[in-house]
Amino acid sequence: MPHARNRNPSPIPEVTWDTGLKEMNETWKGAIACLGVAVFFVMTIGIIYWQVVDQPNKNWILRGTFSGLIWERRTHSLVIQTLAEDKTYVEIDVGNVGNADIEVPFVRNLCWLNKTEFCYTWDSVAEVKISLEVNEETECYSMTWVPVHCHVELKDCFSMTNVSWYGGASVRGQTWPINDQNATMQPFVVSDLKNNPFGFGSALERYFLGSSGVAVLVSPDIPLQLGLDSRQQFCLQSLPSMDREPLQYTVCVANNVKAAHQEAVQQLYQHSRELPNMNTLWLPFWKLLTNMDSGPKVERELRTFSNRLKRHQLGEGVISLNEHSTTLLSDMDHDYLNSRKRGMSKRLTRDLPLVKLLNISITLSPFLGVDNTQFHTSLMDGTEAFWLSLPSTPQGQLIPVMSQWQGRFCVKLNITNPGAVSWFLDRVGSLQAHLGMEYVVLEGAEGNLFEEQALRPPQALGGDKYISLLADMATRIGDSTIVTAGTRSSHKPLFVRMSPLQSDWSPMGLKGIIPSLLHHTLLGYNFLIPDAVGGSLSGDLVTDEELFIRWLEITAFLPVISFHTPPWVCGEDRVLNLTRAYIAKHQRDVVPLIEKYADEWQMTGNPIYRPMWWLSPSDPVTFTIDDQFLIGDEVLVAPVLEKGAVQRDIYLPDGGFQWQDSRDAQVFDGGTFLQDYPVPLEDVAVFFRRS
């Protein structure tokens, strides 16, 4: 029987096969792993190369017809340039959003279906939406930042490099442009510069204009903070809150600074513009300075002062009373009415009818002393809502908020209460009827009573809304009313009084007049009452005769001449003669010019008083001239601002025309720089434009 053999179908022993397979698997696994590492290394190098070397430093986000918005990823900036990249309009640093140490590509447009919009969510901190609107001569980028979480501060900073900026708010020591100003980050609201010298004053608008042809318009309805770093940047910052308040503004670019401003005016002021009482321009204002303690003494001093004006042949004018004198005079009027009812002697009141014969202005404020019977009555008859108040509990009784005004504890008129407004207007009407005055000065609108005391204001009174509402009430008093604060009200028929200045030659004094003038008129406040000749901040009389004369020479070309120091007190007959001459010049030459360009302002919004770049908007020399101004397009005024100087440098802007000296009829080409041009003490350099 044959022997049976065990057959192995495989030529390789089974054990040997298993071991070899394992060895082969380990070999292939190592090779694949090495290959994966190599691929990963190559991809990483490629990504790094793309991020650092190959990817461009800037990405176009939106493009218009002549401009575009660029993201500068290394500087975390939004830049608006011409499409040819030969001109930068503005650079906006947004590096505080997200992690400033990480380069963000910022190229993924979540609104990619719409070529005029850009949307992006940044580091889960804020969402941004940018919309482009293309007009015939301008292109506007509307930017809205919305925080993703509560208590996030949004901050965008606008570079001052190669751009002169204008607008915003008045400050102590006003400059033109604002590049030299410094201000810590603070609420962008009007404050009283006398009490808060480092704050923002009137006039104030959420509007900034750059010499490169850029205008920035900030939304009026959001809480806002502003800070300025001299010669570096100004920053807009939102207020962190539970409401996730956005940061919202529009940037418009145009061919030059003038075109940008004219476009901004149309967006800023949608209301029709109304003129105040233009007869006011013909009258100088004289402040009554004496400190009196009774109504009869006020009246006697009024008559004495009026007689002095006549004796010195200074013509008709308006004698201004401060709030204290107004109160004394109104109390005297009250006594007069009571005495008539009691049948008392007319001797006690014989002076009052003479007050009606005088042209006076009275001063009122929305404040009422807590010791006043009217306030006590309001607490008794349930009209405590006439004053700014807060409830003691969510549904509790209203408690008036106390404050200080003119050294007294006071309450402030609730301008949102129709009954309170009617009471105030009735009070003004009664004074007008019994005193016969036409002019009313409303002081005390500055500041936010609630926010100053860390209280949450009612929604209707947040920010600067009180000032706007007070302006509405002022227009109901009449078109000769003067207010001391202006915001969102340049279209109203009111006069705005400029902040007081120091009695010296510094930017806080004489040198601050022209920058402040140009600032006000750029924001639309053309009908202003400048500070008194010589300055009135200290309240003292001016003793520097030269300062008085040089100050007088400037104000003679402004809408109204006002006096704090009578000319017969400041100097000899020369001062009186010059005062008469410049009042006459103002009435003869300046007022007709203002009336002419007031009509243009009403139709177009162009300012009456204009900076040098208005006639030469592409000339960099004109961007920083702060000691000359234009009245319309035809008169250039260049006063002397240095003590002891009888000459000055003058630049005549170029626009294809010539300039003629008003004194000797010399004619100069536009673009001429006149060095050490003679300007005697009793004169001011004035040039007329020739076509």
Side-chain angles (χ1 to χ4, degrees):
M1 182 172 191
H3 178 68
R5 286 190 306 180
N6 289 333
R7 298 191 175 211
N8 184 359
S10 173
I12 303 174
E14 191 172 331
V15 174
T16 305
W17 169 257
D18 291 342
T19 304
L21 180 62
K22 291 179 181 179
E23 290 176 354
M24 289 180 66
N25 285 343
E26 294 298 330
T27 302
W28 281 103
K29 286 179 181 179
I32 292 172
C34 290
L35 179 62
V37 170
V39 171
F40 177 78
F41 182 76
V42 171
M43 291 179 63
T44 303
I45 293 297
I47 291 173
I48 293 174
Y49 179 83
W50 178 77
Q51 286 277 2
V52 177
V53 179
D54 193 47
Q55 182 179 336
N57 184 44
K58 56 187 179 184
N59 304 106
W60 289 89
I61 293 175
L62 293 172
R63 295 176 188 259
T65 58
F66 65 85
S67 73
L69 181 64
I70 296 171
W71 168 240
E72 290 273 2
R73 64 188 183 91
R74 291 179 184 170
T75 60
H76 282 216
S77 298
L78 292 170
V79 182
I80 301 178
Q81 291 183 332
T82 56
L83 295 180
E85 301 185 40
D86 56 356
K87 177 180 178 180
T88 296
Y89 292 101
V90 64
E91 181 176 350
I92 310 169
D93 179 7
V94 297
N96 69 299
V97 179
N99 190 339
D101 298 326
I102 300 176
E103 291 185 1
V104 182
F106 203 167
V107 292
R108 294 167 295 176
N109 186 0
L110 303 181
C111 300
W112 59 273
L113 290 175
N114 190 336
K115 292 185 178 180
T116 62
E117 288 188 349
F118 179 86
C119 307
Y120 188 79
T121 300
W122 193 318
D123 200 24
S124 300
V125 174
E127 298 174 350
V128 61
K129 181 176 181 180
I130 306 173
S131 302
L132 171 61
E133 180 182 350
V134 177
N135 303 310
E136 185 175 348
E137 297 184 2
T138 60
E139 294 181 353
C140 296
Y141 300 81
S142 298
M143 305 193 187
T144 302
W145 294 87
V146 180
V148 175
H149 307 292
C150 302
H151 302 295
V152 172
E153 290 184 348
L154 302 173
K155 180 180 177 182
D156 287 0
C157 296
F158 296 77
S159 173
M160 293 180 176
T161 303
N162 299 322
V163 182
S164 295
W165 287 96
Y166 318 94
S170 296
V171 295
R172 178 66 59 82
Q174 186 73 43
T175 62
W176 179 272
I178 65 173
N179 293 44
D180 289 329
Q181 293 177 11
N182 267 309
T184 57
M185 188 64 67
Q186 58 186 290
F188 192 49
V189 296
V190 176
S191 58
D192 187 343
L193 293 180
K194 189 172 183 178
N195 299 326
N196 181 19
F198 301 106
F200 301 120
S202 173
L204 179 149
E205 296 292 341
R206 296 184 171 200
Y207 167 50
F208 300 87
L209 178 68
S211 59
S212 57
V214 58
V216 180
L217 301 96
V218 187
S219 172
D221 300 320
I222 59 172
L224 181 70
Q225 297 184 95
L226 177 73
L228 295 104
D229 298 324
S230 177
R231 297 181 179 273
Q232 296 182 35
Q233 61 186 9
F234 70 90
C235 299
L236 308 176
Q237 182 171 300
S238 66
L239 274 69
S241 69
M242 293 294 293
D243 300 327
R244 297 196 300 133
E245 295 286 358
L247 181 60
Q248 192 171 21
Y249 56 87
T250 299
V251 180
C252 294
V253 296
N255 183 50
N256 56 55
V257 60
K258 178 181 177 181
H261 174 68
Q262 290 175 322
E263 169 63 25
V265 166
Q266 302 310 315
Q267 295 196 33
L268 267 177
Y269 311 113
Q270 304 291 333
H271 307 279
S272 59
R273 290 172 280 270
E274 300 180 68
L275 297 176
N277 180 8
M278 300 299 284
N279 292 329
T280 306
L281 306 181
W282 297 85
L283 302 173
F285 277 64
W286 304 88
K287 188 171 184 179
L288 193 68
L289 293 176
T290 50
N291 186 19
M292 294 148 290
D293 57 5
S294 69
K297 290 181 180 179
V298 173
E299 196 279 332
R300 283 196 295 272
E301 189 59 34
L302 273 171
R303 286 189 288 116
T304 300
F305 193 80
S306 177
N307 290 334
R308 282 184 177 176
L309 292 176
K310 294 176 181 177
R311 185 166 65 250
H312 291 297
Q313 301 176 358
L314 290 167
E316 183 182 0
V318 179
I319 304 176
S320 303
L321 301 178
N322 61 22
E323 188 176 11
H324 176 67
S325 296
T326 299
T327 301
L328 293 176
L329 207 59
S330 63
D331 290 343
M332 173 185 168
D333 178 52
H334 181 73
D335 295 339
Y336 163 67
L337 293 176
N338 289 340
S339 67
R340 287 286 300 273
K341 292 177 182 179
R342 295 194 300 267
M344 295 176 64
S345 170
K346 293 183 180 180
R347 180 179 180 83
L348 294 175
T349 59
R350 65 180 180 179
D351 293 333
L352 190 63
L354 296 176
V355 174
K356 288 188 173 184
L357 301 177
L358 302 176
N359 198 1
I360 66 171
S361 72
I362 65 170
T363 302
L364 300 172
S365 76
F367 290 95
L368 186 71
V370 295
D371 56 349
N372 191 287
T373 55
Q374 175 65 36
F375 174 63
H376 296 163
T377 302
S378 69
L379 298 179
M380 300 297 295
D381 62 13
T383 57
E384 63 272 8
F386 276 22
W387 321 111
L388 294 180
S389 309
L390 288 174
S392 55
T393 62
Q395 303 297 327
Q397 184 179 2
L398 290 175
I399 298 178
V401 178
M402 299 291 177
S403 63
Q404 280 196 315
W405 173 252
Q406 306 289 7
R408 298 186 304 152
F409 285 102
C410 299
V411 290
K412 195 171 186 179
L413 187 75
N414 183 359
I415 202 77
T416 64
N417 186 303
V421 172
S422 296
W423 169 81
F424 191 89
L425 292 175
D426 288 344
R427 178 188 173 200
V428 175
S430 176
L431 288 170
Q432 286 176 324
H434 299 309
L435 300 180
M437 84 289 175
E438 182 178 0
Y439 301 95
V440 177
V441 179
L442 285 183
E443 295 182 335
E446 300 87 346
N448 189 301
L449 187 63
F450 299 99
E451 294 173 358
E452 289 171 355
Q453 302 183 40
L455 301 172
R456 186 180 180 89
Q459 186 174 0
L461 290 172
D464 277 328
K465 293 179 181 177
Y466 193 98
I467 296 175
S468 299
L469 293 172
L470 191 75
D472 292 337
M473 186 177 73
T475 59
R476 296 173 63 180
I477 295 175
D479 60 3
S480 299
T481 307
I482 302 166
V483 294
T484 58
T487 183
R488 308 185 209 177
S489 57
S490 64
H491 61 284
K492 299 182 184 298
L494 301 170
F495 289 90
V496 176
R497 192 174 72 190
M498 293 168 64
S499 299
L501 297 171
Q502 294 177 182
S503 299
D504 58 32
W505 299 81
S506 74
M508 305 278 191
L510 182 69
K511 288 188 178 70
I513 298 176
I514 296 177
S516 186
L517 168 71
L518 296 175
H519 169 79
H520 276 76
T521 56
L522 182 79
L523 299 184
Y525 297 93
N526 292 275
F527 304 99
L528 45 90
I529 310 291
D531 191 28
V533 172
S536 66
L537 183 62
S538 67
D540 298 329
L541 296 177
V542 179
T543 57
D544 186 336
E545 182 177 318
E546 182 188 1
L547 178 67
F548 186 96
I549 292 173
R550 289 304 192 189
W551 206 302
L552 174 66
E553 291 169 353
I554 299 178
T555 55
F557 291 89
L558 304 189
V560 174
I561 306 177
S562 62
F563 293 91
H564 173 85
T565 301
W568 59 82
V569 172
C570 182
E572 301 176 353
D573 290 343
R574 177 173 67 164
V575 176
L576 264 172
N577 292 334
L578 283 172
T579 302
R580 296 188 197 103
Y582 276 106
I583 289 176
K585 184 176 185 65
H586 174 82
Q587 296 169 339
R588 181 186 66 249
D589 300 332
V590 179
V591 173
L593 263 179
I594 296 174
E595 291 176 333
K596 172 184 175 180
Y597 286 100
D599 293 335
E600 181 183 325
W601 168 79
Q602 198 171 16
M603 291 186 294
T604 67
N606 291 341
I608 296 174
Y609 292 89
R610 302 169 182 179
M612 293 298 106
W613 51 253
W614 191 266
L615 294 180
S616 189
S618 298
D619 183 358
V621 176
T622 64
F623 296 159
T624 57
I625 295 178
D626 62 354
D627 56 359
Q628 302 174 192
F629 61 90
L630 299 166
I631 305 178
D633 283 347
E634 57 188 282
V635 175
L636 185 153
V637 182
V640 171
L641 304 177
E642 298 291 341
K643 183 176 179 62
V646 290
Q647 70 279 320
R648 58 155 295 167
D649 297 338
I650 300 172
Y651 184 74
L652 304 175
D654 188 12
F657 41 75
Q658 295 179 314
W659 295 94
Q660 183 176 28
D661 191 330
S662 63
R663 293 176 297 176
D664 55 17
Q666 285 190 80
V667 176
F668 303 93
D669 292 331
T672 300
F673 180 76
L674 304 176
Q675 190 171 11
D676 295 333
Y677 200 70
V679 186
L681 175 59
E682 299 180 2
D683 210 344
V684 58
V686 178
F687 295 82
F688 300 122
R689 173 183 163 182
R690 293 181 55 179
S691 300

